[in-house]
Amino acid sequence: MIEVSTAQGSRAAAVAAVLAAMVLVVLDAGIVNVALPTIGRSLQVAPGMSVWVVTAYQAALMMGLLPCAALGESLGHRRVLGLGVAVFTVASALCALSPSLPWLVAARFVQGLGGVAVMALGVALLRSVVPPRRLGAAIGWNALAVALSSAAGPTIGALILSNMSWPWLFALNLPLGGLVLIATRALPALDGTARRLDLVSVALNAGALASLVIGAELLIEAPALAAVLLAAAAFGLAALVRREMPKAAPLIPLDLLRSASLRLSVIASMCCFAGTTAGLMALPFYLQHSLGQGALATGIFMTPWPLAVAVAAPLAGRLADRVPTAWLCAAGATLLAMGLAAASLWPLEGRPQPLILITMACGLGFGLFQVPNNRNIFLSAPDDRSGAAGGLQGTARLAGQTAGGIVMSLLFTAASADAAPRIGLGIGAVLALAAGIASMVRARPAGQRPDTSAAWAPLENSLLKVRASRRS
């Protein structure tokens, strides 16, 4: 009995350590986003330039997810996550001490490289701690921590800024980071595979994804330069796939993507995050420009979304351990699509109160989709590729968010301030519905799914030819 109790206590401590690390990273992102206008005024830069504080962080996440996942598999998940928390904390001090925007942007990039370890390896560590039958519940608690941190971030940021200067936003991470670093000692110290990272592949991955993020950011302001960067990103990704194709454990997890179930979950995740991002970007403009609400009222009307995610996530986690995840994902994505469509089409006529129920429906749908979808991604991968599955899941999330941001940027350029938000909400609904359709395809028995082997045949043939040439 004592042994069982001790094991349960160690498991709870390990889960708490992962959740604490996740809260540290997500809370920081929410706090910084709300502070951009204040940072811009303090550093005497234009609002458009202050956005690079966020862009640098996002670029670091995109560039680091897959290499960090591979490094975690090689050196051990706990070691790399602990190193990431340490880098994140030190970089937070550099952010607080930054005297100018270039210094702050550079420090935020380093901070992102630290935070990416938590994003890539958090759920992989949960998988190593809890039994498979409890993984859905663990992912639900992780989603709950993320949702509550996302909801609390803007409020905490506003409270700090109302009493102190913006560097204290980053100084807050120093004691929190130290506590999280101590907590990571409760995580299991499992040995890695000792596989060496291909530095050329890491460089190709970094260059391609950095070009993608920066090109997307410049798409409206400098379309010619953006086109060059996006072309460079496509070329870099093609070169990376060609280089990694013959490997048993490639940096881009092509081996995992051969699983139809996992591949459909990744596609659904990208669509869902693209639709969610479009909706979350459109709603503030809809509330303020079309419905005449102030900043405080806008925040109040949007708060039910993350709070509903926090309610739905633990429930979805428990259901995911008992009900086929494809059906849960399809139901959640459909509910999200209905909520976004209602926000776009409902005749509010200057009365925004119905948006409270609408945003609650969106949050419930997103929470019901995301937890079982992540569970399927991780359980579709072997144990020794959990890190790669985490990197793939994170990459799908960031790619979807980037796509949703591009959609809204284009809409704000092409349409009026009143029309663009409602069109964006409608496009978000279509993307969410596409996520539900992908999940429904996954729900069909394998024999009834469309045969995709022909599409993957060239990849398999190329792989066999490269291996044969290397043997000879």
Side-chain angles (χ1 to χ4, degrees), residues 284-338:
F285 290 93
Y286 184 32
L287 283 160
Q288 294 186 32
H289 288 279
S290 301
L291 300 177
Q293 302 299 306
L296 179 60
T298 298
I300 292 173
F301 280 114
M302 292 189 65
T303 299
W305 187 316
L307 292 181
V309 174
V311 171
L315 175 63
R318 292 181 178 277
L319 289 175
D321 293 324
R322 298 171 173 82
V323 179
T325 57
W327 291 105
L328 288 175
C329 292
T334 301
L335 181 58
L336 173 60
M338 292 171 62

Side-chain angles (χ1 to χ4, degrees), residues 374-387:
N374 285 351
R375 180 185 186 275
N376 187 68
I377 288 175
F378 279 90
L379 288 185
S380 297
D383 287 342
D384 63 345
R385 295 288 281 157
S386 290

Side-chain angles (χ1 to χ4, degrees), residues 86-308:
V87 170
F88 183 90
T89 305
V90 171
S92 296
L94 297 177
C95 289
L97 297 172
S98 296
S100 63
L101 182 66
W103 281 97
L104 179 58
V105 169
R108 280 285 284 171
F109 182 83
V110 177
Q111 193 184 37
L113 293 179
V116 75
V118 178
M119 296 292 188
L121 302 175
V123 179
L125 276 162
L126 288 178
R127 183 181 182 182
S128 68
V129 170
V130 302
R133 61 183 177 82
R134 298 292 297 158
L135 181 60
I139 293 177
W141 285 111
N142 183 71
L144 172 63
V146 170
L148 291 178
S149 301
S150 300
T155 302
I156 293 175
L159 289 174
I160 293 174
L161 290 175
S162 64
N163 296 285
M164 292 175 282
S165 58
W166 67 263
W168 286 100
L169 299 171
F170 299 102
L172 176 69
N173 292 331
L174 301 183
L176 295 178
L179 292 174
V180 171
L181 198 58
I182 294 171
T184 58
R185 296 177 63 85
L187 296 170
L190 302 177
D191 294 331
T193 61
R195 280 194 299 264
R196 295 182 61 183
L197 262 68
D198 186 334
L199 296 182
V200 175
S201 292
V202 170
L204 285 171
N205 173 82
L209 294 178
S211 298
L212 177 63
V213 173
I214 298 173
E217 187 70 31
L218 297 174
L219 194 60
I220 305 302
E221 298 178 2
L225 178 58
V228 172
L229 288 171
L230 293 176
F235 177 80
L237 287 173
L240 178 60
V241 170
R242 182 179 179 85
R243 183 178 181 85
E244 290 293 300
M245 198 181 298
K247 297 180 181 178
L251 184 69
I252 293 183
L254 300 169
D255 55 323
L256 300 184
L257 289 172
R258 295 189 186 101
S259 164
S261 178
L262 187 146
R263 188 165 64 248
L264 287 167
S265 291
V266 168
I267 293 171
S269 182
M270 292 177 63
C271 292
C272 186
F273 272 103
T276 299
T277 300
L280 287 173
M281 289 183 68
L283 273 174
F285 290 93
Y286 184 32
L287 283 160
Q288 294 186 32
H289 288 279
S290 301
L291 300 177
Q293 302 299 306
L296 179 60
T298 298
I300 292 173
F301 280 114
M302 292 189 65
T303 299
W305 187 316
L307 292 181

